[in-house]
Amino acid sequence: FHWQSQNSTSPESPTGQRYIHQKEQGTVVLFFVRERKKDAYGNAMSYTFLGPAHYVSHTGSRPMTIIYRLETPIPACYLPTMDSSGVL
């Protein structure tokens, strides 16, 4: 799962270090996704819980692009909305 941090996060920052060293620090990362912010009627869309994720690697700085491995596969209903790099 490709995820991008806030623009102010660098690998050297405390937040970046928490992302990179999640396993050693006992940090649990949980992913929730939604297709869009609002539905056709302007109502907030609900989130789907994808489950726990584990840090694999990162590139860049401010923002960091992080690759996580999900413990369970992404539900098939989300696959058509992903781009070619696997981003929802």
Side-chain angles (χ1 to χ4, degrees):
F1 191 94
H2 293 229
W3 179 80
Q4 200 166 64
S5 72
Q6 292 182 321
N7 287 337
S8 61
T9 305
S10 71
E12 299 78 29
S13 71
T15 301
Q17 287 293 298
R18 189 175 68 243
Y19 296 150
I20 294 167
H21 299 289
Q22 130 187 32
K23 184 177 180 180
E24 297 90 341
Q25 296 178 357
T27 303
V28 177
V29 175
L30 305 173
F31 274 100
F32 295 81
V33 297
R34 61 183 176 180
E35 282 188 66
R36 297 178 298 284
K37 285 186 177 185
K38 298 194 178 210
D39 65 16
Y41 303 102
N43 300 312
M45 300 272 299
S46 61
Y47 286 87
T48 298
F49 177 54
L50 294 183
H54 304 280
Y55 172 87
V56 174
S57 64
H58 74 276
T59 58
S61 180
R62 298 178 188 222
M64 294 172 64
T65 299
I66 301 175
I67 298 176
Y68 287 98
R69 180 182 45 79
L70 295 169
E71 286 188 8
T72 57
I74 294 173
C77 65
Y78 282 101
L79 297 179
T81 62
M82 294 171 62
D83 68 18
S84 62
S85 68
V87 176
L88 286 173

